[in-house]
Amino acid sequence: KGRQFVRSVVLIPWVIPGVLAAGMWKWMYDPQMGVINRIISQIGLGIRPLWLSDPKLAIYSVLIVNIWKGFPFFAIMLLARLQAIPEEIFEAGLVDGVGVWQKFRHLTLPLLLPTIYICTLLRTIWAFNYVDIIYAMTGGGPANTTQTMATYTFLTAYTGLNFGKASALAL
């Protein structure tokens, strides 16, 4: 019950365009009015981090958005793999007397590992190609701490209008 609703909610980060997601998270990271700092102050920690202005925090702030945006891909792939595992494997484990933890550790996880490896590899490759989130949130700053090769290539081509150098960088 509610499976379709959960699947729909899990897909939301993936279907939101990168620039819109970046704007939403930039608002949440706002030091004065952001939801994240408001929660931190309500907990009583008494700090107001400058999430996108601090060179030490900016890359992690952008990374959190990237992970949030990529979570649905992992969820869909792992769900598909879980549904493809033959039920006989778990029945055999039940006959052998495995518990819940042993079932997960010795049956489910080894069957999920190839999917986890492939998903991690693909998300890592795709993360290096993201321009929209980083550009919309920080523009590569502060002090180039969130600059990637993709954003540097984009900025070289479209703000510096140096398309030859940008082509060489892209290659």
Side-chain angles (χ1 to χ4, degrees), residues 18-47:
V19 174
L20 183 61
M24 179 181 70
W25 278 88
K26 191 173 181 178
W27 173 78
M28 290 189 334
Y29 283 137
D30 186 78
Q32 301 301 319
M33 300 300 294
V35 154
I36 297 172
N37 278 349
R38 188 168 298 224
I39 291 170
I40 288 173
S41 66
Q42 286 180 350
I43 291 173
L45 295 178
I47 57 171

PDB file of all heavy atoms in Angstrom, residues 18-47:
ATOM      1  N   GLY A  18      18.326  20.831 -13.082  1.00  0.00           N
ATOM      2  CA  GLY A  18      19.477  21.165 -12.257  1.00  0.00           C
ATOM      3  C   GLY A  18      19.499  22.600 -11.770  1.00  0.00           C
ATOM      4  O   GLY A  18      19.827  22.871 -10.613  1.00  0.00           O
ATOM      5  N   VAL A  19      19.152  23.536 -12.638  1.00  0.00           N
ATOM      6  CA  VAL A  19      19.175  24.948 -12.248  1.00  0.00           C
ATOM      7  C   VAL A  19      18.108  25.223 -11.190  1.00  0.00           C
ATOM      8  O   VAL A  19      18.350  25.960 -10.232  1.00  0.00           O
ATOM      9  CB  VAL A  19      18.979  25.850 -13.487  1.00  0.00           C
ATOM     10  CG1 VAL A  19      18.841  27.297 -13.098  1.00  0.00           C
ATOM     11  CG2 VAL A  19      20.131  25.664 -14.459  1.00  0.00           C
ATOM     12  N   LEU A  20      16.948  24.618 -11.337  1.00  0.00           N
ATOM     13  CA  LEU A  20      15.885  24.792 -10.344  1.00  0.00           C
ATOM     14  C   LEU A  20      16.288  24.180  -9.008  1.00  0.00           C
ATOM     15  O   LEU A  20      16.090  24.780  -7.948  1.00  0.00           O
ATOM     16  CB  LEU A  20      14.590  24.173 -10.855  1.00  0.00           C
ATOM     17  CG  LEU A  20      13.366  24.331  -9.973  1.00  0.00           C
ATOM     18  CD1 LEU A  20      13.031  25.804  -9.793  1.00  0.00           C
ATOM     19  CD2 LEU A  20      12.191  23.595 -10.583  1.00  0.00           C
ATOM     20  N   ALA A  21      16.890  22.986  -9.043  1.00  0.00           N
ATOM     21  CA  ALA A  21      17.365  22.337  -7.811  1.00  0.00           C
ATOM     22  C   ALA A  21      18.451  23.179  -7.148  1.00  0.00           C
ATOM     23  O   ALA A  21      18.462  23.352  -5.926  1.00  0.00           O
ATOM     24  CB  ALA A  21      17.892  20.945  -8.125  1.00  0.00           C
ATOM     25  N   ALA A  22      19.348  23.732  -7.957  1.00  0.00           N
ATOM     26  CA  ALA A  22      20.411  24.578  -7.411  1.00  0.00           C
ATOM     27  C   ALA A  22      19.834  25.823  -6.751  1.00  0.00           C
ATOM     28  O   ALA A  22      20.275  26.230  -5.667  1.00  0.00           O
ATOM     29  CB  ALA A  22      21.389  24.971  -8.520  1.00  0.00           C
ATOM     30  N   GLY A  23      18.838  26.434  -7.379  1.00  0.00           N
ATOM     31  CA  GLY A  23      18.196  27.607  -6.793  1.00  0.00           C
ATOM     32  C   GLY A  23      17.488  27.282  -5.493  1.00  0.00           C
ATOM     33  O   GLY A  23      17.558  28.044  -4.515  1.00  0.00           O
ATOM     34  N   MET A  24      16.837  26.143  -5.459  1.00  0.00           N
ATOM     35  CA  MET A  24      16.137  25.717  -4.246  1.00  0.00           C
ATOM     36  C   MET A  24      17.125  25.489  -3.106  1.00  0.00           C
ATOM     37  O   MET A  24      16.927  25.964  -1.987  1.00  0.00           O
ATOM     38  CB  MET A  24      15.352  24.437  -4.546  1.00  0.00           C
ATOM     39  CG  MET A  24      14.604  23.864  -3.369  1.00  0.00           C
ATOM     40  SD  MET A  24      13.727  22.358  -3.806  1.00  0.00           S
ATOM     41  CE  MET A  24      15.082  21.236  -4.032  1.00  0.00           C
ATOM     42  N   TRP A  25      18.207  24.766  -3.393  1.00  0.00           N
ATOM     43  CA  TRP A  25      19.209  24.495  -2.356  1.00  0.00           C
ATOM     44  C   TRP A  25      19.974  25.761  -1.975  1.00  0.00           C
ATOM     45  O   TRP A  25      20.350  25.928  -0.817  1.00  0.00           O
ATOM     46  CB  TRP A  25      20.164  23.401  -2.817  1.00  0.00           C
ATOM     47  CG  TRP A  25      19.592  22.045  -2.595  1.00  0.00           C
ATOM     48  CD1 TRP A  25      18.797  21.345  -3.449  1.00  0.00           C
ATOM     49  CD2 TRP A  25      19.741  21.237  -1.425  1.00  0.00           C
ATOM     50  NE1 TRP A  25      18.459  20.155  -2.887  1.00  0.00           N
ATOM     51  CE2 TRP A  25      19.018  20.050  -1.648  1.00  0.00           C
ATOM     52  CE3 TRP A  25      20.411  21.396  -0.219  1.00  0.00           C
ATOM     53  CZ2 TRP A  25      18.960  19.038  -0.711  1.00  0.00           C
ATOM     54  CZ3 TRP A  25      20.362  20.388   0.710  1.00  0.00           C
ATOM     55  CH2 TRP A  25      19.634  19.219   0.460  1.00  0.00           C
ATOM     56  N   LYS A  26      20.200  26.648  -2.923  1.00  0.00           N
ATOM     57  CA  LYS A  26      20.864  27.918  -2.610  1.00  0.00           C
ATOM     58  C   LYS A  26      20.018  28.714  -1.618  1.00  0.00           C
ATOM     59  O   LYS A  26      20.539  29.314  -0.686  1.00  0.00           O
ATOM     60  CB  LYS A  26      21.087  28.715  -3.899  1.00  0.00           C
ATOM     61  CG  LYS A  26      21.988  29.896  -3.735  1.00  0.00           C
ATOM     62  CD  LYS A  26      22.287  30.515  -5.095  1.00  0.00           C
ATOM     63  CE  LYS A  26      23.213  31.691  -4.952  1.00  0.00           C
ATOM     64  NZ  LYS A  26      23.560  32.281  -6.243  1.00  0.00           N
ATOM     65  N   TRP A  27      18.712  28.688  -1.813  1.00  0.00           N
ATOM     66  CA  TRP A  27      17.807  29.354  -0.870  1.00  0.00           C
ATOM     67  C   TRP A  27      17.875  28.670   0.498  1.00  0.00           C
ATOM     68  O   TRP A  27      17.893  29.335   1.534  1.00  0.00           O
ATOM     69  CB  TRP A  27      16.388  29.345  -1.414  1.00  0.00           C
ATOM     70  CG  TRP A  27      15.400  29.847  -0.427  1.00  0.00           C
ATOM     71  CD1 TRP A  27      15.161  31.152  -0.095  1.00  0.00           C
ATOM     72  CD2 TRP A  27      14.537  29.069   0.396  1.00  0.00           C
ATOM     73  NE1 TRP A  27      14.192  31.224   0.874  1.00  0.00           N
ATOM     74  CE2 TRP A  27      13.793  29.941   1.202  1.00  0.00           C
ATOM     75  CE3 TRP A  27      14.316  27.704   0.523  1.00  0.00           C
ATOM     76  CZ2 TRP A  27      12.859  29.515   2.116  1.00  0.00           C
ATOM     77  CZ3 TRP A  27      13.383  27.266   1.440  1.00  0.00           C
ATOM     78  CH2 TRP A  27      12.662  28.171   2.221  1.00  0.00           C
ATOM     79  N   MET A  28      17.893  27.341   0.512  1.00  0.00           N
ATOM     80  CA  MET A  28      17.951  26.621   1.795  1.00  0.00           C
ATOM     81  C   MET A  28      19.277  26.866   2.511  1.00  0.00           C
ATOM     82  O   MET A  28      19.333  26.853   3.744  1.00  0.00           O
ATOM     83  CB  MET A  28      17.737  25.115   1.579  1.00  0.00           C
ATOM     84  CG  MET A  28      16.322  24.811   1.179  1.00  0.00           C
ATOM     85  SD  MET A  28      15.806  23.080   1.120  1.00  0.00           S
ATOM     86  CE  MET A  28      17.214  22.128   0.826  1.00  0.00           C
ATOM     87  N   TYR A  29      20.367  27.079   1.765  1.00  0.00           N
ATOM     88  CA  TYR A  29      21.677  27.354   2.361  1.00  0.00           C
ATOM     89  C   TYR A  29      21.870  28.823   2.759  1.00  0.00           C
ATOM     90  O   TYR A  29      22.892  29.161   3.343  1.00  0.00           O
ATOM     91  CB  TYR A  29      22.795  26.995   1.377  1.00  0.00           C
ATOM     92  CG  TYR A  29      23.093  25.524   1.253  1.00  0.00           C
ATOM     93  CD1 TYR A  29      23.316  24.961   0.001  1.00  0.00           C
ATOM     94  CD2 TYR A  29      23.190  24.707   2.362  1.00  0.00           C
ATOM     95  CE1 TYR A  29      23.620  23.614  -0.130  1.00  0.00           C
ATOM     96  CE2 TYR A  29      23.489  23.366   2.236  1.00  0.00           C
ATOM     97  CZ  TYR A  29      23.705  22.829   0.994  1.00  0.00           C
ATOM     98  OH  TYR A  29      24.003  21.508   0.866  1.00  0.00           O
ATOM     99  N   ASP A  30      20.926  29.697   2.433  1.00  0.00           N
ATOM    100  CA  ASP A  30      21.074  31.115   2.725  1.00  0.00           C
ATOM    101  C   ASP A  30      21.400  31.327   4.200  1.00  0.00           C
ATOM    102  O   ASP A  30      20.725  30.787   5.071  1.00  0.00           O
ATOM    103  CB  ASP A  30      19.785  31.855   2.371  1.00  0.00           C
ATOM    104  CG  ASP A  30      19.922  33.341   2.523  1.00  0.00           C
ATOM    105  OD1 ASP A  30      20.516  33.969   1.632  1.00  0.00           O
ATOM    106  OD2 ASP A  30      19.442  33.875   3.551  1.00  0.00           O
ATOM    107  N   PRO A  31      22.448  32.114   4.513  1.00  0.00           N
ATOM    108  CA  PRO A  31      22.862  32.277   5.915  1.00  0.00           C
ATOM    109  C   PRO A  31      21.850  33.019   6.786  1.00  0.00           C
ATOM    110  O   PRO A  31      21.789  32.789   7.995  1.00  0.00           O
ATOM    111  CB  PRO A  31      24.175  33.052   5.831  1.00  0.00           C
ATOM    112  CG  PRO A  31      24.308  33.534   4.444  1.00  0.00           C
ATOM    113  CD  PRO A  31      23.349  32.781   3.592  1.00  0.00           C
ATOM    114  N   GLN A  32      21.040  33.893   6.213  1.00  0.00           N
ATOM    115  CA  GLN A  32      20.091  34.663   7.002  1.00  0.00           C
ATOM    116  C   GLN A  32      18.710  34.016   7.079  1.00  0.00           C
ATOM    117  O   GLN A  32      18.129  33.888   8.144  1.00  0.00           O
ATOM    118  CB  GLN A  32      19.944  36.078   6.413  1.00  0.00           C
ATOM    119  CG  GLN A  32      21.235  36.847   6.356  1.00  0.00           C
ATOM    120  CD  GLN A  32      21.858  37.018   7.721  1.00  0.00           C
ATOM    121  OE1 GLN A  32      21.160  37.275   8.699  1.00  0.00           O
ATOM    122  NE2 GLN A  32      23.168  36.860   7.798  1.00  0.00           N
ATOM    123  N   MET A  33      18.170  33.632   5.927  1.00  0.00           N
ATOM    124  CA  MET A  33      16.794  33.155   5.866  1.00  0.00           C
ATOM    125  C   MET A  33      16.670  31.679   5.496  1.00  0.00           C
ATOM    126  O   MET A  33      15.566  31.185   5.320  1.00  0.00           O
ATOM    127  CB  MET A  33      16.008  33.984   4.835  1.00  0.00           C
ATOM    128  CG  MET A  33      15.959  35.457   5.154  1.00  0.00           C
ATOM    129  SD  MET A  33      15.182  35.828   6.722  1.00  0.00           S
ATOM    130  CE  MET A  33      13.519  35.333   6.401  1.00  0.00           C
ATOM    131  N   GLY A  34      17.786  30.984   5.355  1.00  0.00           N
ATOM    132  CA  GLY A  34      17.749  29.601   4.910  1.00  0.00           C
ATOM    133  C   GLY A  34      17.176  28.644   5.945  1.00  0.00           C
ATOM    134  O   GLY A  34      17.336  28.821   7.154  1.00  0.00           O
ATOM    135  N   VAL A  35      16.506  27.637   5.448  1.00  0.00           N
ATOM    136  CA  VAL A  35      15.876  26.636   6.301  1.00  0.00           C
ATOM    137  C   VAL A  35      16.921  25.868   7.114  1.00  0.00           C
ATOM    138  O   VAL A  35      16.693  25.564   8.289  1.00  0.00           O
ATOM    139  CB  VAL A  35      15.042  25.690   5.401  1.00  0.00           C
ATOM    140  CG1 VAL A  35      14.859  24.322   5.986  1.00  0.00           C
ATOM    141  CG2 VAL A  35      13.724  26.309   5.075  1.00  0.00           C
ATOM    142  N   ILE A  36      18.048  25.566   6.512  1.00  0.00           N
ATOM    143  CA  ILE A  36      19.072  24.766   7.205  1.00  0.00           C
ATOM    144  C   ILE A  36      19.629  25.525   8.401  1.00  0.00           C
ATOM    145  O   ILE A  36      19.742  24.968   9.500  1.00  0.00           O
ATOM    146  CB  ILE A  36      20.172  24.340   6.216  1.00  0.00           C
ATOM    147  CG1 ILE A  36      19.568  23.431   5.146  1.00  0.00           C
ATOM    148  CG2 ILE A  36      21.312  23.633   6.943  1.00  0.00           C
ATOM    149  CD1 ILE A  36      20.482  23.100   4.014  1.00  0.00           C
ATOM    150  N   ASN A  37      19.977  26.786   8.220  1.00  0.00           N
ATOM    151  CA  ASN A  37      20.483  27.578   9.355  1.00  0.00           C
ATOM    152  C   ASN A  37      19.399  27.824  10.398  1.00  0.00           C
ATOM    153  O   ASN A  37      19.683  27.919  11.588  1.00  0.00           O
ATOM    154  CB  ASN A  37      21.065  28.902   8.867  1.00  0.00           C
ATOM    155  CG  ASN A  37      22.476  28.736   8.361  1.00  0.00           C
ATOM    156  OD1 ASN A  37      23.099  27.701   8.541  1.00  0.00           O
ATOM    157  ND2 ASN A  37      22.985  29.761   7.699  1.00  0.00           N
ATOM    158  N   ARG A  38      18.163  27.928   9.963  1.00  0.00           N
ATOM    159  CA  ARG A  38      17.063  28.093  10.923  1.00  0.00           C
ATOM    160  C   ARG A  38      16.935  26.854  11.808  1.00  0.00           C
ATOM    161  O   ARG A  38      16.749  26.960  13.020  1.00  0.00           O
ATOM    162  CB  ARG A  38      15.759  28.360  10.184  1.00  0.00           C
ATOM    163  CG  ARG A  38      14.633  28.733  11.116  1.00  0.00           C
ATOM    164  CD  ARG A  38      13.485  29.244  10.334  1.00  0.00           C
ATOM    165  NE  ARG A  38      13.915  30.448   9.631  1.00  0.00           N
ATOM    166  CZ  ARG A  38      13.203  31.545   9.546  1.00  0.00           C
ATOM    167  NH1 ARG A  38      12.026  31.597  10.103  1.00  0.00           N
ATOM    168  NH2 ARG A  38      13.639  32.590   8.905  1.00  0.00           N
ATOM    169  N   ILE A  39      17.039  25.679  11.205  1.00  0.00           N
ATOM    170  CA  ILE A  39      16.982  24.438  11.990  1.00  0.00           C
ATOM    171  C   ILE A  39      18.166  24.358  12.947  1.00  0.00           C
ATOM    172  O   ILE A  39      18.004  23.986  14.114  1.00  0.00           O
ATOM    173  CB  ILE A  39      16.942  23.209  11.047  1.00  0.00           C
ATOM    174  CG1 ILE A  39      15.607  23.165  10.311  1.00  0.00           C
ATOM    175  CG2 ILE A  39      17.170  21.912  11.818  1.00  0.00           C
ATOM    176  CD1 ILE A  39      15.556  22.146   9.186  1.00  0.00           C
ATOM    177  N   ILE A  40      19.345  24.740  12.470  1.00  0.00           N
ATOM    178  CA  ILE A  40      20.535  24.722  13.332  1.00  0.00           C
ATOM    179  C   ILE A  40      20.354  25.653  14.518  1.00  0.00           C
ATOM    180  O   ILE A  40      20.700  25.314  15.654  1.00  0.00           O
ATOM    181  CB  ILE A  40      21.797  25.096  12.519  1.00  0.00           C
ATOM    182  CG1 ILE A  40      22.162  23.949  11.570  1.00  0.00           C
ATOM    183  CG2 ILE A  40      22.971  25.403  13.438  1.00  0.00           C
ATOM    184  CD1 ILE A  40      23.272  24.282  10.612  1.00  0.00           C
ATOM    185  N   SER A  41      19.791  26.836  14.285  1.00  0.00           N
ATOM    186  CA  SER A  41      19.596  27.775  15.404  1.00  0.00           C
ATOM    187  C   SER A  41      18.501  27.296  16.352  1.00  0.00           C
ATOM    188  O   SER A  41      18.568  27.528  17.554  1.00  0.00           O
ATOM    189  CB  SER A  41      19.296  29.181  14.884  1.00  0.00           C
ATOM    190  OG  SER A  41      18.065  29.208  14.222  1.00  0.00           O
ATOM    191  N   GLN A  42      17.472  26.615  15.836  1.00  0.00           N
ATOM    192  CA  GLN A  42      16.421  26.091  16.708  1.00  0.00           C
ATOM    193  C   GLN A  42      16.920  24.934  17.563  1.00  0.00           C
ATOM    194  O   GLN A  42      16.434  24.742  18.679  1.00  0.00           O
ATOM    195  CB  GLN A  42      15.208  25.655  15.884  1.00  0.00           C
ATOM    196  CG  GLN A  42      14.407  26.819  15.369  1.00  0.00           C
ATOM    197  CD  GLN A  42      13.202  26.384  14.549  1.00  0.00           C
ATOM    198  OE1 GLN A  42      13.054  25.225  14.199  1.00  0.00           O
ATOM    199  NE2 GLN A  42      12.342  27.348  14.226  1.00  0.00           N
ATOM    200  N   ILE A  43      17.870  24.183  17.044  1.00  0.00           N
ATOM    201  CA  ILE A  43      18.470  23.111  17.847  1.00  0.00           C
ATOM    202  C   ILE A  43      19.279  23.719  18.981  1.00  0.00           C
ATOM    203  O   ILE A  43      19.414  23.122  20.043  1.00  0.00           O
ATOM    204  CB  ILE A  43      19.340  22.197  16.960  1.00  0.00           C
ATOM    205  CG1 ILE A  43      18.459  21.402  16.007  1.00  0.00           C
ATOM    206  CG2 ILE A  43      20.181  21.241  17.794  1.00  0.00           C
ATOM    207  CD1 ILE A  43      19.227  20.599  14.981  1.00  0.00           C
ATOM    208  N   GLY A  44      19.807  24.906  18.745  1.00  0.00           N
ATOM    209  CA  GLY A  44      20.548  25.603  19.787  1.00  0.00           C
ATOM    210  C   GLY A  44      22.049  25.533  19.628  1.00  0.00           C
ATOM    211  O   GLY A  44      22.785  25.744  20.586  1.00  0.00           O
ATOM    212  N   LEU A  45      22.531  25.256  18.420  1.00  0.00           N
ATOM    213  CA  LEU A  45      23.980  25.176  18.213  1.00  0.00           C
ATOM    214  C   LEU A  45      24.634  26.549  18.172  1.00  0.00           C
ATOM    215  O   LEU A  45      25.821  26.665  18.418  1.00  0.00           O
ATOM    216  CB  LEU A  45      24.288  24.398  16.933  1.00  0.00           C
ATOM    217  CG  LEU A  45      23.875  22.922  16.945  1.00  0.00           C
ATOM    218  CD1 LEU A  45      24.181  22.282  15.608  1.00  0.00           C
ATOM    219  CD2 LEU A  45      24.579  22.182  18.060  1.00  0.00           C
ATOM    220  N   GLY A  46      23.866  27.573  17.843  1.00  0.00           N
ATOM    221  CA  GLY A  46      24.377  28.944  17.888  1.00  0.00           C
ATOM    222  C   GLY A  46      25.346  29.310  16.784  1.00  0.00           C
ATOM    223  O   GLY A  46      26.041  30.310  16.884  1.00  0.00           O
ATOM    224  N   ILE A  47      25.417  28.525  15.718  1.00  0.00           N
ATOM    225  CA  ILE A  47      26.288  28.864  14.594  1.00  0.00           C
ATOM    226  C   ILE A  47      25.424  29.112  13.364  1.00  0.00           C
ATOM    227  O   ILE A  47      24.328  28.599  13.248  1.00  0.00           O
ATOM    228  CB  ILE A  47      27.309  27.734  14.300  1.00  0.00           C
ATOM    229  CG1 ILE A  47      26.577  26.407  14.035  1.00  0.00           C
ATOM    230  CG2 ILE A  47      28.305  27.590  15.434  1.00  0.00           C
ATOM    231  CD1 ILE A  47      27.472  25.301  13.537  1.00  0.00           C
TER     232      ILE A  47
END
